[in-house]
Amino acid sequence: MTSQQRVRVVVIGGGMAAARLAQRLRPAGAGGPALTVLGAEPHAPYNRVLLAEVLAGRYAPEVIALPAPHDGVRWLGGVRAVRIDRAARTVLCDDGRAVPYDRLVLATGSNPVLPPLRGLFPPGHFPPGHDGLPDGVHPFRTLDDCTALAAAAARPGVRAMVIGGGLLGVSAARALAERGVSVLLAQQGEHLMERQLDAGAAALLRAHIEALGVEVHTECRVRGLRVEDGSVRGVELADGYVPDADVVVLACGVRPRVGLARAAGLPVDRGIVVDDELRTADPRIHAIGDCAQHDGVVYGLAGAALEQADLLARVLSEEAARYRGTRALTRLTLTGPDSGAHPGPDSGARPGANLGPSSGAHPGLGSVPHSGAHDTPLDLAAFGTPSPRPGDDVIHLSDATRSAYRKVIVRGDRLVGGILLGDLGAVGTLARTWEADDPLPDAPLLHLLTTDRPTPDGGS
């Protein structure tokens, strides 16, 4: 088969999923497809998991660049797809070009959720993008968002408000605090990182980031922004408190970017619906990453996007492969106030990296660790559900004076959730067991939390 006869694969989206797929597919000269990637961002692909490290000033933007795809990949940065013509098998772009395909991959990612706050947009306007936001208001999703936020935070005396206390909001607040910015973090829920942590673990996390200088408000609803002459000047909270703010970070979650798929007539629920081969209702079109919904689940996590890209590379290479879902893991490292702003590359936060297990809580934990507990970084790992069902076994250990917290939830002979803070020596075994959905080793359950290498007889 000549190069002109190679299957033409076009990928819409230039993020981590697209870059991984480009890495995994064989070059056209080695029997692979002729691959074209349409990336709306002008930058080379980068690791979005490390954006908080760029914001904190630990890494320059070029440090988080992903490896360049092989020479056979036609990577078109700064080119936005505007329409899919399924009948003609063509993607139409904003620069007027038409790109034909034999197989199309939608890796369009997700958009930051922009909450309906008074003052966020002019009356009668609520655009789906973030053009037209008041000066000083920033989403935190892309490298451009990160660069703009870092520039705003560099001004002397800046006061920042982070709206949203999930993984992204906590990471942004920590990064800004490391830059010396006065930060207030507003979380509408009862505690921080509600999707990953229970109340006990969240209490330790809150104590740690407060020791970094972040003012945390939970059960706190933001009503609107105080905007003067097109710039944000403060935030209106539901209880009447109006703190001053020169910078507002919107960390309110993300929403799959499905507009192209919907306009092309493909089934869309919360994400683009795909089967076990990551195929849409059109057999020539696949979807991976944040935009894809498989078996009712939209993962929105880097680990799942990479796993889907790996599997799709096999499918496009005509290998037998089935996607069975991703057992998502979350890892995060928060530096202590005395540990310096520029630690080694292995000690930085890894927001959303999903590299290790976590999930856990300790009922009744009410004490706050002494200040010395915050002189060192706080490592956090979580997986599965943070809340047990009736009949589940819950094993937990805690030492508030050391900011140590370990909890796992067991259903039958399977792990269904876990939270680890502090010493993460048990992460390896738990992570492997969780990811493989293997039966637990024949050892005392408490042994899971006290060693990384269970002995054959279950002893310690």
Side-chain angles (χ1 to χ4, degrees):
M1 181 179 289
T2 67
S3 61
Q4 286 78 16
Q5 295 172 310
R6 294 294 181 196
V7 173
R8 298 167 299 180
V9 174
V10 174
V11 182
I12 300 178
M16 293 178 69
R20 181 65 161 245
L21 181 62
Q23 280 185 329
R24 291 293 187 258
L25 286 172
R26 294 192 304 272
L35 180 61
T36 299
V37 179
L38 307 174
E41 293 188 65
H43 318 286
Y46 56 87
N47 186 349
R48 75 161 189 259
V49 170
L50 298 178
L51 284 177
E53 305 312 301
V54 176
L55 178 58
R58 298 183 182 196
Y59 300 151
E62 57 269 20
V63 172
I64 68 170
L66 294 173
H70 56 74
D71 292 339
V73 177
R74 182 186 178 209
W75 193 287
L76 303 177
V79 176
R80 185 182 301 275
V82 296
R83 188 165 71 86
I84 300 167
D85 187 336
R86 290 170 56 191
R89 296 183 203 159
T90 300
V91 178
L92 305 178
C93 303
D94 60 353
D95 62 358
R97 78 179 76 200
V99 182
Y101 67 85
D102 298 307
R103 304 287 282 274
L104 178 63
V105 180
L106 302 178
T108 48
S110 56
N111 290 317
V113 171
L114 303 182
L117 301 178
R118 186 167 58 233
L120 189 60
F121 297 107
H125 295 80
F126 190 71
H130 54 263
D131 294 336
L133 292 175
D135 289 342
V137 178
H138 301 268
F140 187 40
R141 185 63 181 167
T142 68
L143 185 57
D144 285 342
D145 293 338
C146 182
T147 301
L149 182 54
R155 302 195 307 266
V158 166
R159 299 154 299 182
M161 162 73 84
V162 177
I163 301 176
L167 182 62
L168 184 63
V170 168
S171 299
R174 183 271 304 172
L176 290 169
E178 285 191 17
R179 298 184 70 102
V181 175
S182 173
V183 183
L184 190 154
L185 174 60
Q187 161 70 336
Q188 186 166 327
E190 293 182 358
H191 60 75
L192 299 175
M193 291 182 61
E194 287 184 308
R195 292 182 60 184
Q196 294 88 10
L197 305 182
D198 62 7
L204 292 179
L205 173 62
R206 176 172 181 162
H208 190 89
I209 65 172
E210 285 179 337
L212 298 177
V214 177
E215 181 180 345
V216 179
H217 291 239
T218 53
E219 299 184 84
C220 174
R221 186 168 64 85
V222 177
R223 178 179 294 166
L225 306 180
R226 180 164 57 86
V227 177
E228 299 175 4
D229 299 325
S231 298
V232 67
R233 293 289 180 258
V235 178
E236 302 174 9
L237 305 183
D239 61 3
Y241 180 41
V242 186
D244 293 335
D246 313 291
V247 170
V248 172
V249 182
L250 302 176
C252 306
V254 295
R255 183 175 291 117
R257 193 176 290 133
V258 298
L260 278 174
R262 180 178 285 119
L266 298 172
V268 170
D269 186 19
R270 289 180 300 120
I272 304 168
V273 178
V274 297
D275 63 15
D276 289 351
E277 292 186 325
L278 301 170
R279 196 187 313 267
T280 68
D282 185 328
R284 295 181 178 273
I285 302 179
H286 301 261
I288 58 174
D290 291 3
C291 67
Q293 177 177 323
H294 173 265
D295 198 20
V297 179
V298 176
Y299 289 95
L301 298 167
L306 300 181
E307 187 174 337
Q308 291 169 5
D310 289 348
L311 185 131
L312 183 56
R314 295 173 59 195
V315 170
L316 294 176
S317 300
E318 300 184 350
E319 297 179 30
R322 296 274 178 177
Y323 181 64
R324 302 302 187 189
T326 295
R327 312 261 305 166
L329 304 161
T330 300
R331 288 289 297 270
L332 176 66
T333 297
L334 297 172
T335 56
D338 299 328
S339 60
H342 298 278
D346 294 331
S347 57
R350 295 294 184 270
N354 309 300
L355 301 177
S358 78
S359 200
H362 182 59
L365 182 64
S367 60
V368 176
H370 64 76
S371 59
H374 301 292
D375 294 342
T376 57
L378 178 69
D379 291 316
L380 179 156
F383 62 89
T385 177
S387 302
R389 293 180 185 172
D392 290 346
D393 291 315
V394 180
I395 309 97
H396 61 256
L397 301 172
S398 66
D399 182 348
T401 62
R402 298 175 60 192
S403 293
Y405 189 97
R406 300 181 181 186
K407 168 184 170 181
V408 294
I409 302 171
V410 178
R411 186 171 302 149
D413 63 353
R414 296 295 200 276
L415 285 174
V416 296
I419 304 171
L420 306 174
L421 279 80
D423 180 10
L424 300 188
V427 165
T429 296
L430 292 171
R432 290 187 292 272
T433 303
W434 164 257
E435 289 178 319
D437 194 21
D438 286 337
L440 290 170
D442 186 16
L445 294 178
L446 188 62
H447 203 64
L448 293 172
L449 299 182
T450 56
T451 181
D452 191 34
R453 288 192 173 98
T455 58
D457 63 356
S460 57

